[in-house]
Each structure stands twice: as structure tokens, then as C-alpha cells.
Amino acid sequence: DIYSAARTGRATMHVGYIDQHYAGVLVLTINMDPVTAEKSLLIWAVYTRHPAALRGGLADVKEMAARAGLGKLVFHRPRRGGRRRL
């Protein structure tokens, strides 16, 4: 679960602010494809009600992935067909 992954360092939780007001939260972890062994940055969970947080936040996450040497971002849902590459 997210709580234990964040507590043990397997995931990171990021809280976003815009103009010193809470704008949202997201949880990231490194994902490895079971077939290709390719690593990607998995956006495990995200919450915001602020449209600017989505635009700015996604740019920040892409930058984090690039700095970590990860070539792609992955959103994952348990439903089939829930993977999406940006």
C-alpha cells in the first residue's frame, strides 16, 4: 500500500503549493516492466482540484524523471488497459 511504501522509502509523496496554498499531492515510485526490465517513473496516486497544479505538476514530474534517467512516465490503474505513456 502507499502508506507502507512511503514509510519504507519505496515511494515518495510530494505536496504541492501555489501561492502558499495547498494545491495537491502525488505519490511517485520507480516501476520496472516485468517483461523488458525497463524502468519508468510511476505516478501511483495524484489528487488536486487546482487546474494550474496539473499543468505545473506534470512538468515538474517530467523533469524529475529526466534527472533520474527514466525515459518515461507511467500512470497505472488496476483495470486492464489502464497504462498510459506520456
Side-chain angles (χ1 to χ4, degrees):
D1 69 336
I2 288 175
Y3 176 78
S4 65
R7 293 278 299 175
T8 61
R10 292 179 289 124
T12 57
M13 183 177 292
H14 304 267
V15 178
Y17 293 89
I18 296 176
D19 297 328
Q20 298 183 354
H21 296 285
Y22 171 76
V25 65
L26 70 121
V27 178
L28 304 173
T29 190
I30 294 177
N31 186 51
M32 184 177 295
D33 187 291
V35 176
T36 66
E38 179 184 23
K39 289 183 179 181
S40 59
L41 186 60
L42 172 68
I43 300 175
W44 191 350
V46 63
Y47 172 80
T48 186
R49 295 180 67 192
H50 199 299
L54 287 175
R55 289 187 299 274
L58 186 55
D60 290 344
V61 171
K62 286 180 180 179
E63 186 178 314
M64 283 186 242
R67 281 195 316 259
L70 303 171
K72 66 180 179 179
L73 297 178
V74 176
F75 296 84
H76 176 72
R77 296 181 294 183
R79 289 193 337 229
R80 185 177 174 180
R83 283 187 144 185
R84 181 176 159 204
R85 181 177 177 205
L86 295 178

